[in-house]
């Protein structure tokens, strides 16, 4: 069985009962875009740390450190599941050194910038939504803002 076959036929179907739908969608996208093209054809039992190391190095050349960590985490979770099913002897993604994600200082609007934004949206039909988002810090999917969970401002 190749890694791609395992991911699409075994691991991804198992996600429906273990993660939120949005998390499942993210895993599916990461598998399709980043795992299948480079590692999908490798037989799962022949996947080696060297394969994963080269793959991570390739990703690091095109993605932010945080994105690399997220994509690698998807592979590591999938291989941990394969390990539980005794499909592999070890998780070859575990322990791979990943690029460090340096955190910048948080950026927030000043009171003047927020005021200018509120003034600018004026009578926009989405004005009330923009005011809630801008004044509460509410983000998609967070418990503090259930009325907007699972929606996107852009979709409004």
């Amino acid at each position: 069985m190749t890694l791609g076959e395992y991911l699409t036929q075994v691991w991804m179907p198992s996600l429906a009962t273990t993660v939120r739908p949005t998390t499942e969608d993210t895993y599916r996208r990461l598998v399709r875009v980043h795992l299948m093209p480079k590692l999908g054809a490798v037989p799962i039992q022949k996947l080696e740390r060297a394969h994963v190391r080269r793959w991570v190095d390739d990703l690091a050349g095109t993605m932010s450190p945080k994105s690399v960590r997220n994509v690698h985490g998807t592979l590591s979770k999938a291989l941990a599941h394969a390990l539980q099913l005794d499909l592999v002897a070890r998780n070859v993604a575990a322990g791979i050194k990943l690029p460090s994600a340096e955190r910048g200082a948080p950026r927030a609007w000043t009171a003047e910038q927020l005021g200018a934004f509120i003034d600018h949206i004026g009578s926009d039909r989405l004005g009330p939504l923009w005011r809630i988002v801008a004044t509460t810090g509410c983000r998609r999917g967070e418990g503090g803002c259930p009325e907007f969970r699972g929606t996107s401002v852009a979709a409004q």
Side-chain angles (χ1 to χ4, degrees), residues 11-112:
W11 185 62
M12 288 195 296
S14 77
L15 296 174
T17 60
T18 59
V19 299
R20 290 182 179 181
T22 54
T23 303
E24 182 180 357
D25 289 344
T26 299
Y27 287 154
R28 286 182 185 284
R29 181 179 47 81
L30 295 176
V31 165
R32 184 184 76 252
V33 173
H34 299 291
L35 287 164
M36 295 298 284
K38 297 285 185 171
L39 299 174
V42 178
I44 192 168
Q45 292 183 340
K46 296 195 185 236
L47 184 66
E48 299 175 1
R49 290 178 65 79
H51 292 115
V52 178
R53 175 78 263 151
R54 281 191 303 273
W55 174 71
V56 166
D57 289 345
D58 287 346
L59 291 175
T62 60
M63 304 172 88
S64 72
K66 181 173 181 353
S67 295
V68 172
R69 295 173 93 68
N70 289 342
V71 176
H72 171 269
T74 301
L75 175 61
S76 189
K77 286 176 182 153
L79 291 176
H81 181 258
L83 186 61
Q84 289 176 339
L85 298 177
D86 292 325
L87 296 176
V88 294
R90 63 190 179 115
N91 181 347
V92 295
I96 295 286
K97 184 168 172 39
L98 300 171
S100 61
E102 294 184 21
R103 291 189 156 225
R107 297 183 322 196
W109 285 346
T110 65
E112 294 79 22

Side-chain angles (χ1 to χ4, degrees), residues 133-151:
V133 171
T135 59
T136 66
C138 177
R139 296 188 309 187
R140 178 181 163 197
E142 289 186 336
C145 198
E147 60 274 16
F148 298 114
R149 187 172 296 124
T151 63

Side-chain angles (χ1 to χ4, degrees), residues 104-139:
R107 297 183 322 196
W109 285 346
T110 65
E112 294 79 22
Q113 290 170 321
L114 178 58
F117 174 75
I118 298 290
D119 290 343
H120 179 74
I121 59 173
S123 61
D124 183 286
R125 72 177 185 87
L126 295 178
L129 172 66
W130 296 123
R131 282 181 190 83
I132 290 170
V133 171
T135 59
T136 66
C138 177
R139 296 188 309 187

